[in-house]
Amino acid sequence: MDNIKLQEQVKNEFTDYLTLYKHRKTPERYAILEHIYTIKGHFDMDLLFNSMTDSGFRVSRATLYNTIELLLDCGLVVKHQFGANVSKYEKAYGNENHDHFICLGCGEVKEYKNSNLFTPAQQKRFQRFKVSYYSLYIYGMCSKCQRQKNNIKSNNLPIKKK
Amino acid sequence: MDNIKLQEQVKNEFTDYLTLYKHRKTPERYAILEHIYTIKGHFDMDLLFNSMTDSGFRVSRATLYNTIELLLDCGLVVKHQFGANVSKYEKAYGNENHDHFICLGCGEVKEYKNSNLFTPAQQKRFQRFKVSYYSLYIYGMCSKCQRQKNNIKSNNLPIKKK
DNA sequence: ATGTATGCAAACCATTTGCAATGAC
DNA sequence: GTCATTGCAAATGGTTTGCATACAT
């Protein structure tokens, strides 16, 4: 419930993972994990990097990439590639799985809590696989962009960078 | 049914789109569309470029990127970004929507015809948006990689490039 | 003591961009 | 004749890599 408890659980899970695979428990790794779990919603490497340096913790981008890799592997972070060129990440523990609606006009990403998408009936189809997580990306036009498209009668090309 | 008919329909749809938005009907654009619709399954820019030059049609990569943009906009092609750094594409006309299972170990992508995922009940939740298409990505471990992981007791880091 | 992890800077490479030449309209 | 489109080559920028140094074990 409270944030402190979550941080603790997450840290424990990470420790277990690092121990199991004989990876070292460096202060950088824990600091990165902790920072990620203070970020609400999606983030990219730039945001994470700035968030860390701003709060006084110096890390190299290389280490961020290395550590994120570990966090992805142990399932504490999820990676998204919505359509622009930057990878987006998101904490995964205590964060319900949800769908993403991506507007092809403006690139905005909205989240929807997904209720009953993955029914037991659906699950059965993947029984030979160990499903870690899934992402549902729904592409289309948000109401704002639809209106614009109707007015100016010119096409909106797909999401551009930045 | 037969391929010739499909090609024709697709070409017509593209023509309509180009006309509507006052884009020019260049031979390059039609050649690219035609080539894409001979490719089975996913492709990336490299594959498309080689496929075209091999069959004697010279296009620049810049034009490929430009044209794909149009094809995405009019819905004749769908773009995927599975986790590696290259974008994958897929023809979208006469190609049923399907789910993708991506193995976090080896990066292999398998497709599953999706049956009843998008029920009318689900649809209602997005009524304010014009849904063009959606992609369900299911990440996990394929049976082969699971076995490997158990045997060698070392972790498989997420999908690497190439 | 050993070898993994970090930080820096350089390398990589898919994609984008600028611009002159081409050709659809 | 206009101006969108093409092709080329250079630029961009997120991510990766190589290597010397630091530090977890």
Side-chain angles (χ1 to χ4, degrees), chain A residues 23-24 26 28-29 58-60 62-63 161:
Chain A
H23 291 143
R24 294 188 177 168
T26 67
E28 286 83 1
R29 286 175 175 170
R58 288 187 71 260
V59 239
S60 69
T63 299
K161 61 157 65 173

Side-chain angles (χ1 to χ4, degrees), chain B residues 24-25 27 45 62 65 85-87 161-162:
Chain B
R24 295 185 177 169
K25 300 171 190 65
M45 278 304 185
Y65 280 105
N85 50 348
V86 279
S87 297
K161 59 158 66 177
K162 284 261 164 65

Side-chain angles (χ1 to χ4, degrees), chain B residues 1 5 16 27 29 32 35-36 40 59 62 68 70 74-75 82 86 100 103 113 116-117 125 129 133 137-138 142-143:
Chain B
M1 198 77 277
K5 218 166 197 169
D16 290 349
R29 286 176 176 169
I32 292 166
H35 268 83
I36 286 177
K40 285 194 206 313
V59 241
I68 273 269
L70 297 172
C74 70
F82 290 127
V86 279
H100 296 88
C103 178
K113 214 179 115 194
N116 53 349
L117 182 63
R125 296 162 54 215
F129 302 109
Y133 62 94
Y137 299 116
I138 299 157
C142 72
S143 45

Side-chain angles (χ1 to χ4, degrees), chain A residues 41-137:
Chain A
H42 303 126
F43 64 92
D44 55 27
M45 278 304 185
D46 231 49
L47 185 80
L48 179 57
F49 183 77
N50 291 329
S51 150
M52 296 205 63
T53 48
D54 286 358
S55 71
F57 197 102
R58 288 187 71 260
V59 239
S60 69
R61 287 194 144 81
T63 299
L64 287 185
Y65 279 105
N66 286 336
T67 303
I68 273 269
E69 209 73 334
L70 297 172
L71 292 171
L72 287 169
D73 190 46
C74 69
L76 288 170
V77 166
V78 159
K79 183 178 185 177
H80 298 289
Q81 309 201 221
F82 290 126
N85 52 346
V86 279
S87 297
K88 298 281 190 172
Y89 304 87
E90 194 175 6
K91 57 185 184 297
Y93 190 95
N95 199 13
E96 278 188 68
N97 215 328
H98 47 255
D99 309 336
H100 296 87
F101 173 84
I102 303 121
C103 178
L104 293 170
C106 58
E108 195 195 352
V109 178
K110 278 209 173 102
E111 298 186 355
Y112 292 91
K113 215 180 117 195
N114 63 24
S115 35
N116 53 347
L117 181 62
F118 243 178
T119 62
Q122 297 283 352
Q123 297 262 21
K124 271 208 311 205
R125 296 162 53 213
F126 302 103
Q127 55 195 191
R128 302 179 54 200
F129 302 110
K130 195 174 149 240
V131 175
S132 302
Y133 62 94
Y134 67 92
S135 307
L136 177 60
Y137 300 115

